[in-house]
Amino acid sequence: MAAKGVHIWTRHLWFIAPLYLLTVLHGLNHAAAETRSEVLPMTRYSLPIDDALKQTLHTALQAKGEAYRPRTHHLDKQKQPLFTNRLILESSPYLLHHAHNPVNWHPWGEEALATAKAQNKPIFISIGYSTCHWCHVMERESFENIAIAEFLNDHFISIKVDREQRPDLDDIYMIAAQLISGQGGWPLNAFLTPDGKPFFAATYFPADRFLVLMDEVRQVWQQDHAKVLAQAARIHTTIEATLSPDSSGQLPGHEQIQAALDYFLGQYDEFNGGFSTAPKFPQETVLLLLLEQALQQRDEQLLGTAIHTLDAMQQGGIYDQVGGGFHRYATDPDWLIPHFEKMLYNQALLAEVYLRAWQLTNNPLYKRTLEHTLDYVLRELYADGGGFYSATDADSEGEEGRFFVWDEEELNAVLSKKDQALARALFNTSATGNFEGRNILHLELSLPEFAEQQGMPYSDLAEQIDRIRDQLYNVRKTRVAPALDDKLITAWNGLMIRTLALAGHALRNPRYLSAAWQSAEHLWQQHRDGNGNLWRDTREGQPGAAATQEDYAALARAMLALYDTSGGELWLERAQHLTDTMLEQFWDEKNGGFFLTTADTLTPLRSRSLDDGALPSGTSQGYALLQELAQRTGNIHYQTRATELMQQLATRITKYPASFSYLLSQYGQTLEQPLAAIQFAAQGALKAEVKAKEDGFELQINLREGWHINAQDPGDKRLIATTVDGDGLYEVRYPESKPLNVQFSKHPIAVYSGEIKISGRQQEMNTLLPPRLNFAFQACSDRICLPPEKLVLQIPATH
C-alpha cells in the first residue's frame, strides 16, 4: 500500500505529549509547498565511503553477473552504475532497488547507529517496500537526485528499511507519523536522534519540498538541539504508551463483538459494498468476522452484507478478470480502478474469505473466484522447490497498470468477431476506455445475470468466458510484466499454505494440497537457522531478517491446517515446536501478551503487533494458534496463555473493538460453539469432520488408539449415548458397535472406536445459512473417562 498524503488508519493513542517542536516542523512541512528551491544540476559526485568498503561493494556488484541491470539512471558509457552503496550487500529487493542511488544508504544496524552517535548527526530513515508506487516516485524524484543526495550525505545518516522485513520498525515509526501528522502511508520518512527516537515523521514529499524540509531539520538540529532531544523523548514515551498493556483482568464478552459489528455496519457502503468510500480496501479480517458471526447468530443480514461485498469485488476491476487474483485496493468507491500491485497476503486472505463464503452459501461463483485466485498464485507466485513470492508491482513499462489494461484495438486483434461482441458486452469495454484511454475489464452484471439477459445457458457462457480469458492471458504474457518481489516471507507463506490446505481439502484438489505440503516442508527446512530459529524472509536462498512473532504464529497455524487435512502427526509436532519457541522468545512474562520481536538493543522500543489491519495481527494469530493447539493436544498451558492474552487486551478491545476484527472472529468461537466442519475434542484424541453428500451428510470420526466413545445404544442406561441430530436431519444411520468389557458392568457395553462414520439425510432448509449438526458423546480411554462433550458442526457446501 502506497500513500501520497493519504490517511490510512488512526492509532489509538492513550495520551498525546506536548508537541512544541513538532508544530514548528509540521508548519515547515506545509510551508515548503510554497517555498520553491531550485534543485541543483547534476555534478560529479562520489559517495563518501572509504576504499576498503568501495572494494567490498565492487566485488558484490561484480558477483551479480552480466544479467544484472542496475536500477538507476546514473550510468557510465558501459552501462555500469556510477554509484554503489551498502544496500548492494542486502537480500531485500526493495533495498537492492536503492543500491545505486547517490545517497549513502545504510541498512538498519549497528554500524549506522554507531556512526550517527559518533558524528552526532540526526538519522534520516525511509521505509517502504518493493511494489510501492509512491516509493518508486520518491526514489526517482529525490533519492536519484544529486543535490538531495549530497545534502543527505553531508548532514544525516541515511537508512533504508524494507517494511516487509522489519515490521517492528515500520510500526514504531508509523505511530510517530500518525502522531505528528495525523496520517500514515508509504514511503514513510522520519528523522531520528542517533539513538533511534523520532522527532519528525511524514510520508511522501516532492523533491523541492523535501530539500527545503531537510534544510529546516538541519537548522533545528543545530540551533535547538536540546529541544529536539526533549521532543524526541516525549514522542518516544507516547509511542511506548500505545504499545503498553492495560489489563483489566477480565475477559471480553458478546458486547465487544457486537460493538465491532455495529461499527463496521455503520461504515458499510450499501450501494457498492465494502466499509469505506475511497480508497477502498477489501478488509478481509472484517469479512471473516461478518461471516463467522452470521453463522453463529444465524443472522442473514450480516451474511448479506458480506455477500454483497464479495459479489462487488469479484465483478470489479480490483479482481483480475483475465489472470485471476486480486489487486491491493481500489482507488474509487466502485471497486473499478485498482492500485495494480498484487500482494501474496491478499490472495491468501481473500481466498480464505471466498472459501468460507462458498462453504456457507454453496454459491458456485465464489468457488470459481477461489479457484482462479489460487491458480494465479500457483502459476505466478510459486517458487521452485516450494514457497511463494511476496508481490508483483503496479507499474510496468513506466506506467501504472499497463500490464493489465486493454485498448479496443488490442482486444479486437486477439478475439474473433463473435468473442469481440461478447467481451464488449460482458466487460463493458469501449474505444475511450475507463482508465487513461484503456479498459480495465470488469463485470457490470454477475455471470448468471448476464447469461439470463443474453438468453443463454450459464454453462455455455462460462465455457465461452474461459476461452476468452485464455486467449487474453496468452497475449498478456507477451507484455513486459511488472517487477516481481521474489523474497519469501514466512508469515505470508504461512497464510497461503493454510488457505491452500483448507481449500485443497474442501475442494478435493490434490494440486492445492501438494503445493501446501511442499511449501511447508521447504520453509521448515530452509527458513530456519542452525539453532532452529525461523528467518523472517529469504531470497535466492539467502536469509534476511530474523523472524517475528507473527512468522511463528502463521507458520504454526499452517502446520495445524496440514495436520487437520492430512492427519499427519509430523505437522502437529512441528506446530507444537514452533508454538513453544514462540512462547519462549516473545511472551511478555511481566505483563502478558506477545512482543513482535525478540529483545534487541538496537531498536528504541520492543514493538507489539496488536491491531488487525491489512493482515491479522501477530497477537490475533497467536491467540488463534493457542486455541487451536489446545483443542488438538489437550495441553492446558496453551489454553491458559490464550486466556491471559485476552485478559491483557480486554481494556483495549472495549475501547476500540473495531481494531480487533480478526481476533474477535476467533474469540467469538470460544464464547459459543465452534462451527467449523473439522473439529477436535477429547483432549485432541477425537477428530470429527462432517461432509455433505448428495442425499444428506456423513460425519466421520477418528479416535486415537486406546480411546472409544459409547455407542448410540451402549447397553447400559447409566452411560452417555452417542447422538447426532440437527437442522433438518433425519434417518440418521449409526455404525455397528463393538463390545467392550468394563469393571462396572456385568455385561459388555457397546462402543465405537477407530474410524467411525455416521450418516443421514437432510431436508431442504429455507435459509441462506447452512444447517448445523449436533454431535454429543463421551470419550473414554483405557484409564479415564472424560466429561460428556458436544460438538456443533457446520455442514459444508456440496462440490
Side-chain angles (χ1 to χ4, degrees), residues 597-654:
T597 58
T598 56
D600 182 354
T601 56
L602 295 180
T603 54
L605 288 169
R606 200 171 176 191
S607 182
R608 298 174 188 261
S609 174
L610 298 174
D611 296 355
D612 296 318
L615 292 94
S617 71
T619 294
S620 296
Q621 294 195 67
Y623 172 79
L625 170 62
L626 292 170
Q627 287 284 6
E628 291 163 359
L629 199 52
Q631 293 164 5
R632 287 152 181 77
T633 64
N635 189 330
I636 192 65
H637 175 62
Y638 300 132
Q639 183 61 62
T640 299
R641 286 298 195 216
T643 301
E644 292 172 351
L645 182 59
M646 292 306 296
Q647 290 172 331
Q648 190 259 345
L649 290 171
T651 299
R652 285 176 182 264
I653 292 173
T654 299

Side-chain angles (χ1 to χ4, degrees), residues 90 92 95 107-110 113 125 127-129 159-174 186 188 487 489 492 536-537 544-548 550-551 596-607:
E90 298 300 306
S92 159
L95 298 186
W108 178 272
E110 187 172 350
L113 298 178
I125 187 169
I127 302 175
Y129 58 104
I159 296 177
K160 254 295 171 191
V161 171
D162 183 340
R163 68 172 297 267
E164 295 169 354
Q165 276 192 328
R166 293 300 302 265
D168 56 323
L169 295 173
D170 180 64
D171 200 40
I172 291 168
Y173 297 123
M174 187 64 74
W186 297 276
L188 172 60
K487 68 178 181 293
I489 298 175
W492 300 7
R536 166 72 175 175
D537 64 292
T548 67
E550 73 172 3
D551 294 300
L596 180 58
T597 58
T598 56
D600 182 354
T601 56
L602 295 180
T603 54
L605 288 169
R606 200 171 176 191
S607 182

Side-chain angles (χ1 to χ4, degrees), residues 186-200:
W186 297 276
L188 172 60
N189 298 299
F191 294 94
L192 320 177
T193 63
D195 58 357
K197 296 177 182 177
F199 58 91
F200 183 73

Side-chain angles (χ1 to χ4, degrees), residues 382 385-388 493 497 500 514-524:
Y382 193 50
F388 302 93
N493 271 258
I497 292 167
L500 279 167
S514 177
W517 298 332
Q518 185 176 4
S519 296
E521 185 66 26
H522 176 82
L523 264 69
W524 182 259

Side-chain angles (χ1 to χ4, degrees), residues 657-669:
S659 295
F660 297 93
S661 50
Y662 191 77
L663 180 61
L664 291 175
S665 74
Q666 303 301 303
Y667 180 64
Q669 299 178 41

Side-chain angles (χ1 to χ4, degrees), residues 353-659:
V353 170
Y354 279 92
L355 170 63
R356 195 77 175 118
W358 172 67
Q359 290 175 320
L360 294 185
T361 65
N362 205 20
N363 184 335
L365 295 180
Y366 299 154
K367 180 183 176 186
R368 178 184 175 89
T369 298
L370 163 66
E371 291 176 326
H372 286 176
T373 299
L374 294 181
D375 291 346
Y376 154 72
V377 170
L378 295 183
R379 186 178 62 243
E380 299 188 28
L381 296 181
Y382 193 50
D384 291 341
F388 302 93
Y389 299 131
S390 298
T392 57
D393 211 329
D395 302 357
S396 58
E397 300 183 67
E399 298 179 32
E400 183 174 4
R402 179 66 191 94
F403 184 73
F404 299 99
V405 297
W406 301 82
D407 60 38
E408 201 165 63
E409 289 183 2
E410 290 173 319
L411 292 171
N412 292 342
V414 176
L415 303 175
S416 68
K417 293 290 185 181
K418 179 181 178 182
D419 286 346
Q420 287 175 30
L422 177 61
R424 189 178 302 111
L426 180 68
F427 296 124
N428 195 31
T429 61
S430 67
T432 56
N434 53 29
F435 179 75
E436 299 178 357
R438 296 187 175 96
N439 293 279
I440 298 172
L441 303 187
H442 68 289
L443 304 176
E444 292 288 323
L445 299 173
S446 71
L447 297 183
E449 290 171 332
F450 184 82
E452 183 178 358
Q453 182 190 76
Q454 299 294 313
M456 61 190 304
Y458 170 71
S459 58
D460 290 352
L461 173 64
E463 183 178 336
Q464 292 181 53
I465 291 172
D466 287 342
R467 184 181 67 250
I468 291 172
R469 288 177 73 247
D470 289 344
Q471 292 178 72
L472 295 180
Y473 181 77
N474 287 332
V475 170
R476 201 172 76 178
K477 284 195 301 184
T478 65
R479 297 175 177 175
V480 177
L484 172 70
D485 185 334
D486 58 352
K487 68 178 181 293
L488 278 62
I489 298 175
T490 300
W492 300 7
N493 271 258
L495 292 173
M496 180 52 70
I497 292 167
R498 181 173 179 272
T499 296
L500 279 167
L502 297 176
H505 184 72
L507 299 171
R508 303 175 191 172
N509 187 319
R511 180 167 172 251
Y512 297 162
L513 290 171
S514 177
W517 298 332
Q518 185 176 4
S519 296
E521 185 66 26
H522 176 82
L523 264 69
W524 182 259
Q525 299 296 340
Q526 304 299 325
H527 269 226
R528 296 189 302 154
D529 64 17
N531 297 318
N533 296 315
L534 285 177
W535 294 109
R536 166 72 175 175
D537 64 292
T538 63
R539 180 175 180 267
E540 297 179 348
Q542 180 182 352
T548 67
Q549 177 265 327
E550 73 172 3
D551 294 300
Y552 281 88
L555 186 57
R557 291 192 76 204
M559 299 292 185
L560 285 183
L562 290 169
Y563 169 67
D564 290 356
T565 55
S566 72
E569 292 286 337
L570 177 65
W571 301 119
L572 179 62
E573 293 170 7
R574 289 177 173 179
Q576 195 161 352
H577 174 81
L578 291 169
T579 305
D580 292 343
T581 305
M582 177 185 73
L583 289 169
E584 178 184 345
Q585 294 189 2
F586 302 101
W587 185 261
D588 182 351
E589 294 291 349
K590 180 180 179 181
N591 298 304
F594 289 113
F595 291 113
L596 180 58
T597 58
T598 56
D600 182 354
T601 56
L602 295 180
T603 54
L605 288 169
R606 200 171 176 191
S607 182
R608 298 174 188 261
S609 174
L610 298 174
D611 296 355
D612 296 318
L615 292 94
S617 71
T619 294
S620 296
Q621 294 195 67
Y623 172 79
L625 170 62
L626 292 170
Q627 287 284 6
E628 291 163 359
L629 199 52
Q631 293 164 5
R632 287 152 181 77
T633 64
N635 189 330
I636 192 65
H637 175 62
Y638 300 132
Q639 183 61 62
T640 299
R641 286 298 195 216
T643 301
E644 292 172 351
L645 182 59
M646 292 306 296
Q647 290 172 331
Q648 190 259 345
L649 290 171
T651 299
R652 285 176 182 264
I653 292 173
T654 299
K655 289 182 178 180
Y656 316 110
S659 295

